[in-house]
Amino acid sequence: MEIVVDAGDTTRTYEVVASRAGRRVETAVRRGVVEVSEVTRSGTVVRTARFMANRVLALVEQPIPREDSSDKAG
């Protein structure tokens, strides 16, 4: 997940990645705050990034390309 934030005269880009197999990235908007969290299979939060919602310009989800088994055989 890529987060683009307004930093006054420029923009800043932050990235939250599911660093291990089986983890996922979840996004929540609560009370004017955008929370992006890396979560394990059991639901335990590993890390969280918080941003003021009125400063967030974009949330970009970039799926991981999966290898097709037919490509490997051919």
Side-chain angles (χ1 to χ4, degrees):
M1 176 74 64
E2 192 174 329
I3 304 101
V4 182
V5 179
D6 178 19
D9 59 341
T10 186
T11 60
R12 291 193 181 171
T13 303
Y14 299 92
E15 194 169 317
V16 177
V17 179
S19 58
R20 291 188 175 183
R23 292 189 179 171
R24 63 188 183 276
V25 176
E26 292 184 351
T27 308
V29 180
R30 298 183 185 118
R31 294 187 177 193
V33 176
V34 176
E35 291 183 352
V36 182
S37 302
E38 181 182 357
V39 182
T40 63
R41 288 181 186 176
S42 63
T44 305
V45 176
V46 177
R47 62 186 174 136
T48 301
R50 291 184 180 95
F51 306 93
M52 293 173 47
N54 60 350
R55 294 287 186 177
V56 174
L57 300 175
L59 292 171
V60 182
E61 184 175 1
Q62 299 176 345
I64 298 172
R66 296 184 181 202
E67 295 181 18
D68 190 14
S69 59
S70 63
D71 291 341
K72 290 181 182 179

